[in-house]
Amino acid sequence: MTAAGTPIAVVTGASSGIGAATARGLAAAGYRVVLTARRKDRIEALAAEINEAGHQATAYPLDVTDRAAVDEFATAFRTIGVLVNNAGGALGADPVATGDPDDWRQMYETNVIGTLNVTQALLPALEASGDGTVVILSSTAGHATYEGGGGYVAAKNGARVLAETLRLEILGRPVRVVEIAPGMVKTDEFATTRFRGDTEKAAKVYAGVAEPLTADDVADTITWAVTRPSHVNIDLLVVRPRAQASNTKVHRES
Ligand code: 8X3
């Protein structure tokens, strides 16, 4: 599936936001990127853009929660250099007392089981490369909770634990496990999806914040982490905008 010598980077959730920016960043860094997401038209357009820029990209429509589809996808690769588990997201910001269990279930399914599916399926190819890197996009929500964080915080804690446990278990094998935990990042879809299309509620998340992080800022940290020399494992990188000191302490200019 690749020209000999060009390492492959698989990016999940590559149709928008951090995933799309990471695909662009890794392509520019010399990887042949494989873009996966459910939205075929989006990843095909992005692959075309990357190829037109003189880099290498292919699109593969994939739902990371569909294990059979993920296993089928994995058969296309003998070796892979990098896997970026970015697919995921938040649904709702309700208190624990009234949160919808279906939202909790769905968030666990995408953020944790989706990451588990793709990581399990591609681990042999990552190991076969002799120098693989698994990146897991958790969140600052995976490190501290906040009111209304509920199911999202629980799911991102799951993603963090997956990263930490995998790193322990594959010690001695040629695969690094990198956790990237972004704080407030303003992307086209994260908050709008969380509030089910309510753009007013979504805008409030960033109200008065001079410069939330952008998808490019996070992509930059991911690209930096995976392009360190093989023996350097960036275990965890927490990245927030200067205006955010903690999940609940944000400087807003009125
Ligand atoms: C996004 C950070 O603060 O919305 O992963 O939970 S937050």
Side-chain angles (χ1 to χ4, degrees), residues 25-26 29-31 82 133 176 220-230:
L26 291 177
Y31 288 92
V82 174
T133 304
R176 301 182 289 185
D220 190 37
T221 67
I222 295 168
T223 304
W224 176 81
V226 306
T227 53
R228 293 312 85 211
S230 309

Side-chain angles (χ1 to χ4, degrees), residues 199-221:
T199 49
E200 247 173 65
K201 270 193 189 167
K204 277 196 186 135
V205 172
Y206 312 105
V209 180
E211 281 182 283
L213 295 179
T214 65
D216 284 340
D217 292 327
V218 180
D220 190 37
T221 67

Side-chain angles (χ1 to χ4, degrees), residues 231-246:
H231 69 288
V232 178
N233 197 115
I234 306 299
D235 284 9
L236 166 66
L237 208 153
V238 177
V239 52
R240 299 183 192 268
R242 189 174 62 191
Q244 184 182 35
S246 79

Side-chain angles (χ1 to χ4, degrees), residues 11 43 65 69 76 78 84 112 126 134 185 236 245 249:
V11 181
I43 51 174
T65 67
R78 200 175 44 81
V84 180
V112 185
L126 284 154
V134 179
V185 187
L236 166 66
K249 197 158 173 67

Side-chain angles (χ1 to χ4, degrees), residues 14-93:
S15 52
S16 71
I18 293 171
T22 301
R24 289 189 183 99
L26 291 177
Y31 288 92
R32 175 176 180 137
V33 290
V34 178
L35 316 178
T36 75
R38 285 171 301 183
R39 291 176 294 183
K40 186 169 182 272
D41 53 336
R42 291 259 195 149
I43 51 174
E44 283 181 348
L46 179 56
E49 177 206 302
I50 291 171
N51 287 320
E52 273 159 31
H55 306 305
Q56 300 182 70
T58 51
Y60 192 110
L62 186 67
D63 176 349
V64 295
T65 67
D66 179 344
R67 184 54 190 252
V70 170
D71 285 341
E72 171 67 26
F73 169 67
T75 63
F77 306 98
R78 200 175 44 81
T79 76
I80 289 176
V82 174
L83 163 62
V84 180
N85 285 292
N86 164 75
L91 271 184

